[in-house]
Amino acid sequence: MLSPQEEYTSLLKMKPELIYRVQLLTLFLINCAGALSISFSVFDAARKLNMIFVYNGLLSSMMVILFLMKRFIVNSKIQNRAYIVFTLIIIVLIQFLSMEYSIVISMTFLSSMVMLVYIHFNKRFVYIATLLYLGIVLYHLISMPVITVRLSYSYYISSFFVIIIAFSVSHMGITLFKKYEDLLFRKIKTTTEQMDEIKSLNLKTNKALQILESIFEASHDGIVDIEQSHGTVNMSSRSCEILAFQCSGLDTLELELSTHLEAGKKSEFFHRWEELKSRGGKSYSRECYYHHPDERKRLKFNILAYTSSEDESRHILLVVKDITNEDDQAEKIYKSAYEDSLTGLMNRQALVEYIEKHREKYFISCVAILDIDNFRFINDSFGYEIGDRLLQEIGKRMVGHEIPFVKAAARLSSNDFALYLDTVVDEDQLYARIQNDYSQYILDDIEIKLNFSVGIAYFSDSEANADGLIKKAEIAMYKAKERGKKGVCVFSDDLNNEMIRHLDIMNELEDAISHHEFYLNYQPKIDTRTDRIIGFEALIRWQSPRLGFVPPDEFIQLAEQSGLIHLIGEFVIRESCQFLKRIMADYGFIEDFRISVNVSAVQLLNSSFYSSFFSILDEAAVPPEMIGLEVTETAVMENKAYVCNQLEKFRAKGVRIYLDDFGTGYSSLNYLTMLPIDILKIDKSFVDNITNKNREYQVVKLILSLASVFSLTTIAEGVETKDQLDILQSLDCHIVQGYYFSKPLIEVDGYKMVLERNPL
């Protein structure tokens, strides 16, 4: 059976043959029409026979020529053109033979047929040729003289009969050919669409096969496909690499797996393997160790039985995944999540989970947090490498749990460690044991002795959680550091309330600045020789709408920890400058008159403090000589070299430097020679008992003598009685301040006191 394409090709080959037959039919009909026309002409019989002989002879010759061309010339276009050329020649010859209208009509019909044949069966041109011919016939009907009615009717009937036959034959041929051609086109189109769909499916199938082959070979997992009936095995290159062998048979595969699989998992593996081979069923997954001569791996096997939809063959698909590195990575992740990388101890999360898991075993338990005092000094002095090694050595000692009842040890942060104990402890004995076991080390011939601040917290009820217990111990540890370090503190409800108070203050502190809740009080300073006010000490005060009045000793340290001390310090300096501007408006520049402001170590160690300080002074147009900075020995100890350099820069600009609370801190005489100070302030604790002429009196006397040696101005704080004032005057103390003269005043009252004691 021929395909549509082949049928169409055959049809195209038949087309020249059909054209050839129509050409012969046309010539035959023209012959008939011409003979009829001549027969009905007015010529005599002899001439009619002569004209019929010539006319039919020419047309017959043309038919012979077409036959010969069809036989010897394959190209149908050449044949058609020859047909036209010869037809035109015949028309010209006939014109010479006769000028009869009937012959002209016949030739016109012949021309239309030639055109019809040449355009290859186009119906539109058949209609055009028909209309053209009818028009010519009508023209001749009107213009031709009528010889006899019978002759005219006979002529026209015969001509129209021939025309109808010729055109009908042509029209039928064209219709049949076109109809058959349309059927073939539709069939070809349908077949082409089917072929395109088949091609598309083939492309998709090929693409799917290529993807499957790529997955089979490129998968990170090894894939082994086993066809059960023939026992053929197809192994991907990755499976050969993981299993360290290659085979093509099922028996060899099972033997190799049996040789290398972990002994304890082998029987279960092959039991499930045989089940899947015999009955199919669900897939099977198992992780086990796999041994071969070079290394030991941990593999994950996934086995699946399936039936091929193509040939109903039964298969087993074995997927092998090497999870050795994943296990190693999981172990690393576990260590990073639960183990301190430096010391190998538990980290905070691990300790929390350990306590939650084990605390129900013990009737009572506690956590002790150990913080190394001044650990930063060790890093700064000996370097971070020594610091890290020191932490590692502490971790090694804690691993053994040498202290009785210690169940776990952890490193919580840089220099904070934790011990979990399962009993009530005597805090002093525990601290002594910690100092004894963990305090002394020798690293690279460097002898290091440590002190710890220790906080202890107990589980008080069953609802408490481990994380909360650790936080309570940390609160107790911070309290131990506040008390002077090198000590121990046990968490209590009072301590908890204190920490809650600190949190409340911290939460309110930042808003207090933006809501203008701070204000200044000014403590007057009186010259003991002239009884005049020579300045004030600016004291920050905070009135909170929610907390009420908050003393400075409660919020200053918290402000230092949070960094808000810089904003508070700028507020104090700016307000003090505004007060000075008001005084200067009346008095102008007053020599030795100044307002002093307290600055902390946090402010002094800030690189921008110097520039911001003088920017405020320049903005307020206040001379630096009318501002003083009060610093404590503790602030200097934070970084002696840097702080001294900073203070020297302030002094160079005319700012006076006060050493506050002298004698209560480190009390080193070196400060008097090392620090760039101008004024020495004697702490209130020495002035309180000065009238008893006891040790405090001798200390004050000694301080005043030292100040005289170093040419320092002296100020005594906390003067509350006339007797205290008299003694200080007798010892030649330059300036005094205290409640004897006035409590700290708001700006308006301070200004009034200046007017009273320093009249214009």
Side-chain angles (χ1 to χ4, degrees):
M1 184 177 180
L2 297 177
S3 67
Q5 285 82 356
E6 290 173 338
E7 288 187 42
Y8 186 66
T9 303
S10 176
L11 179 64
L12 289 178
K13 288 180 180 179
M14 290 172 57
K15 194 171 184 179
E17 179 67 24
L18 292 172
I19 293 173
Y20 166 71
R21 291 181 182 181
V22 171
Q23 288 173 348
L24 291 181
L25 176 63
T26 303
L27 291 175
F28 175 75
L29 292 174
I30 290 172
N31 254 329
C32 295
L36 287 172
S37 299
I38 293 171
S39 298
F40 287 105
S41 67
V42 295
F43 300 113
D44 55 25
R47 189 173 179 183
K48 287 180 181 179
L49 290 172
N50 182 53
M51 291 177 65
I52 289 172
F53 177 77
V54 174
Y55 180 70
N56 289 342
L58 288 172
L59 292 176
S60 298
S61 300
M62 184 175 180
M63 292 174 69
V64 171
I65 292 171
L66 286 175
F67 173 77
L68 294 174
M69 290 179 67
K70 175 68 171 62
R71 187 175 181 83
F72 297 105
I73 299 175
V74 179
N75 194 324
S76 61
K77 290 184 178 180
I78 296 176
Q79 183 178 348
N80 289 338
R81 288 169 184 168
Y83 171 74
I84 294 170
V85 171
F86 282 109
T87 303
L88 293 175
I89 292 172
I90 291 171
I91 292 172
V92 173
L93 289 174
I94 290 175
Q95 293 300 313
F96 281 105
L97 290 174
S98 174
M99 294 299 295
E100 281 292 323
Y101 289 114
S102 61
I103 302 301
V104 174
I105 292 170
S106 299
M107 294 304 102
T108 304
F109 176 70
L110 175 63
S111 299
S112 65
M113 290 299 102
V114 170
M115 180 172 63
L116 175 66
V117 173
Y118 180 66
I119 61 176
H120 294 224
F121 304 124
N122 191 307
K123 287 184 180 181
R124 183 187 301 171
F125 289 99
V126 172
Y127 301 143
I128 292 172
T130 304
L131 292 173
L132 178 64
Y133 179 73
L134 291 174
I136 293 172
V137 169
L138 289 174
Y139 172 73
H140 286 290
L141 179 64
I142 296 169
S143 61
M144 193 177 89
V146 179
I147 299 172
T148 64
V149 174
R150 182 180 62 80
L151 181 63
S152 299
Y153 282 138
S154 300
Y155 167 71
Y156 286 113
I157 289 171
S158 63
S159 296
F160 274 105
F161 177 73
V162 172
I163 292 168
I164 289 168
I165 293 173
F167 276 98
S168 297
V169 170
S170 299
H171 190 275
M172 289 173 62
I174 292 170
T175 301
L176 290 172
F177 189 86
K178 290 293 184 182
K179 184 177 181 180
Y180 187 55
E181 190 177 41
D182 289 342
L183 288 172
L184 281 177
F185 271 131
R186 285 197 295 271
K187 190 173 183 181
I188 289 170
K189 183 179 179 182
T190 303
T191 306
T192 303
E193 290 174 352
Q194 292 174 347
M195 291 298 293
D196 290 341
E197 186 175 351
I198 291 170
K199 286 180 181 178
S200 177
L201 290 173
N202 285 337
L203 287 173
K204 291 179 180 178
T205 302
N206 292 334
K207 187 175 181 181
L209 289 173
Q210 291 174 357
I211 292 172
L212 288 174
E213 289 177 1
S214 300
I215 293 172
F216 188 77
E217 285 300 327
S219 173
H220 184 70
D221 300 337
I223 302 174
V224 182
D225 186 63
I226 303 110
E227 200 278 319
Q228 287 186 240
S229 59
H230 297 92
T232 56
V233 175
N234 184 17
M235 298 181 67
S236 69
S237 56
R238 177 60 178 159
S239 67
C240 297
E241 179 184 343
I242 295 174
L243 297 173
F245 67 83
Q246 184 174 5
C247 67
S248 58
L250 178 57
D251 294 338
T252 307
L253 175 66
E254 291 177 342
L255 178 62
E256 291 287 349
L257 290 175
S258 177
T259 303
H260 299 299
L261 281 175
E262 180 184 353
K265 303 290 180 66
K266 190 182 301 183
S267 59
E268 179 191 356
F269 178 88
F270 279 104
H271 174 70
R272 297 301 298 273
W273 174 270
E274 292 300 328
E275 281 186 351
L276 289 169
K277 280 173 60 180
S278 60
R279 294 193 300 238
K282 296 182 179 179
S283 61
Y284 168 70
S285 178
R286 173 60 61 195
E287 293 181 9
C288 60
Y289 286 102
Y290 184 84
H291 305 270
H292 61 84
D294 295 331
E295 60 180 325
R296 177 174 178 262
K297 299 180 179 179
R298 184 163 181 82
L299 303 182
K300 182 176 182 179
F301 292 92
N302 288 295
I303 311 172
L304 174 68
Y306 73 96
T307 302
S308 173
S309 60
E310 184 176 351
D311 56 4
E312 299 297 324
S313 59
R314 296 179 64 183
H315 291 250
I316 293 178
L317 190 67
L318 174 65
V319 180
V320 188
K321 183 180 183 67
D322 188 348
I323 59 173
T324 308
N325 292 334
E326 292 182 11
D327 277 6
D328 294 342
Q329 189 66 26
E331 185 177 351
K332 290 179 181 177
I333 292 172
Y334 178 84
K335 285 186 176 181
S336 64
Y338 291 95
E339 185 178 291
D340 177 59
S341 59
L342 181 64
T343 64
L345 296 173
M346 294 180 183
N347 61 14
R348 188 187 193 98
Q349 181 61 33
L351 180 63
V352 168
E353 293 188 10
Y354 180 89
I355 295 173
E356 290 292 347
K357 183 178 180 181
H358 294 90
R359 71 184 180 110
E360 292 183 0
K361 296 180 182 179
Y362 314 122
F363 178 72
I364 193 165
S365 59
C366 69
V367 169
I369 304 295
L370 288 64
D371 178 85
I372 304 173
D373 294 336
N374 303 318
F375 183 71
R376 191 174 71 178
F377 174 78
I378 295 173
N379 283 331
D380 293 342
S381 301
F382 306 114
Y384 286 94
E385 181 181 355
I386 293 293
D388 288 345
R389 286 174 58 191
L390 177 61
L391 295 173
Q392 290 172 341
E393 290 298 320
I394 296 173
K396 288 178 183 178
R397 295 189 186 183
M398 287 186 173
V399 167
H401 306 318
E402 296 177 1
I403 299 177
F405 309 110
V406 172
K407 298 302 179 182
R411 180 179 177 227
L412 303 184
S413 61
S414 174
N415 59 310
D416 286 354
F417 293 86
L419 300 175
Y420 179 56
L421 300 93
D422 65 346
T423 186
V424 176
V425 296
D426 182 288
E427 57 265 25
D428 293 330
Q429 290 181 5
L430 176 63
Y431 184 78
R433 187 62 185 267
I434 289 171
Q435 284 292 121
N436 180 68
D437 291 352
Y438 302 142
S439 64
Q440 296 187 18
Y441 302 88
I442 298 177
L443 300 173
D444 293 345
D445 297 327
I446 301 172
E447 186 175 349
I448 301 175
K449 182 173 175 60
L450 303 177
N451 291 314
F452 293 90
S453 293
V454 179
I456 301 173
Y458 289 92
F459 270 120
S460 57
D461 54 70
S462 58
E463 295 179 359
N465 57 54
D467 190 58
L469 180 71
I470 293 172
K471 289 178 180 177
K472 289 178 179 179
E474 286 176 327
I475 291 171
M477 180 269 291
Y478 289 128
K479 193 62 180 178
K481 293 182 77 70
E482 285 182 16
R483 292 173 178 174
K485 303 180 181 180
K486 193 181 177 181
V488 61
C489 178
V490 179
F491 182 85
S492 63
D493 290 338
D494 290 341
L495 186 58
N496 186 51
N497 294 335
E498 183 180 333
M499 293 308 299
I500 292 173
R501 170 72 173 176
H502 285 178
L503 288 174
D504 288 340
I505 291 173
M506 286 291 292
N507 292 333
E508 296 291 323
L509 195 56
E510 188 168 358
D511 290 338
I513 298 172
S514 58
H515 294 165
H516 308 291
E517 296 172 12
F518 289 108
Y519 62 95
L520 294 187
N521 279 170
Y522 297 94
Q523 178 74 57
K525 298 177 183 178
I526 310 299
D527 189 327
T528 57
R529 292 160 295 185
T530 64
D531 202 34
R532 292 169 62 90
I533 294 178
I534 61 168
F536 294 91
E537 179 182 357
L539 302 172
I540 184 73
R541 296 292 183 260
W542 178 19
Q543 184 67 36
S544 169
R546 191 172 76 85
L547 302 177
F549 179 75
V550 184
D553 57 357
E554 282 196 76
F555 70 82
I556 290 296
Q557 185 178 4
L558 297 176
E560 290 176 345
Q561 293 172 2
S562 64
L564 294 173
I565 191 66
H566 303 296
L567 295 176
I568 294 174
E570 289 180 3
F571 168 79
V572 172
I573 296 168
R574 186 171 282 108
E575 290 295 307
S576 299
C577 287
Q578 294 303 316
F579 186 27
L580 281 170
K581 281 184 67 176
R582 184 175 181 183
I583 294 172
M584 289 172 62
D586 293 331
Y587 290 89
F589 175 77
I590 308 174
E591 188 175 359
D592 293 332
F593 185 96
R594 65 185 57 86
I595 293 179
S596 62
V597 296
N598 293 277
V599 293
S600 69
V602 176
Q603 291 172 276
L604 288 173
L605 293 173
N606 190 314
S607 58
S608 64
F609 176 64
Y610 177 84
S611 58
S612 64
F613 178 86
F614 285 104
S615 175
I616 294 171
L617 264 62
D618 292 341
E619 182 183 336
V622 171
E625 291 82 2
M626 298 188 73
I627 287 286
L629 297 181
E630 296 197 15
V631 298
T632 63
E633 297 170 79
T634 305
V636 176
M637 276 295 294
E638 290 291 330
N639 191 322
K640 287 182 282 188
Y642 183 80
V643 170
C644 287
N645 181 59
Q646 285 288 88
L647 294 178
E648 198 64 69
K649 289 167 63 177
F650 280 99
R651 282 188 77 200
K653 286 277 194 175
V655 177
R656 294 293 183 264
I657 307 299
Y658 297 67
L659 183 59
D660 196 11
D661 301 335
F662 183 75
T664 60
Y666 296 92
S667 300
S668 172
L669 294 178
N670 286 335
Y671 291 126
L672 298 180
T673 57
M674 180 183 68
L675 292 177
I677 58 176
D678 303 289
I679 301 166
L680 198 64
K681 295 189 72 172
I682 303 171
D683 189 69
K684 180 180 182 297
S685 61
F686 298 114
V687 176
D688 285 342
N689 296 317
I690 194 174
T691 55
N692 297 330
K693 299 293 184 73
N694 53 12
R695 291 181 180 180
E696 284 79 1
Y697 173 83
Q698 298 300 329
V699 169
V700 172
K701 184 177 180 180
L702 178 60
I703 292 173
L704 292 172
S705 299
L706 287 171
S708 177
V709 171
F710 290 101
S711 300
L712 299 175
T713 302
T714 54
I715 298 178
E717 298 179 299
V719 177
E720 297 180 353
T721 65
K722 180 69 168 59
D723 293 339
Q724 291 173 340
L725 175 62
D726 292 341
I727 292 174
L728 289 169
Q729 286 178 323
S730 66
L731 294 175
D732 199 21
C733 180
H734 304 129
I735 304 169
V736 291
Q737 64 181 72
Y739 281 15
Y740 177 72
F741 300 98
S742 172
K743 293 182 178 180
L745 305 169
I746 61 174
E747 181 179 319
V748 174
D749 294 336
Y751 180 74
K752 290 179 180 178
M753 190 171 183
V754 171
L755 294 178
E756 292 171 359
R757 285 188 170 264
N758 298 21
L760 295 173

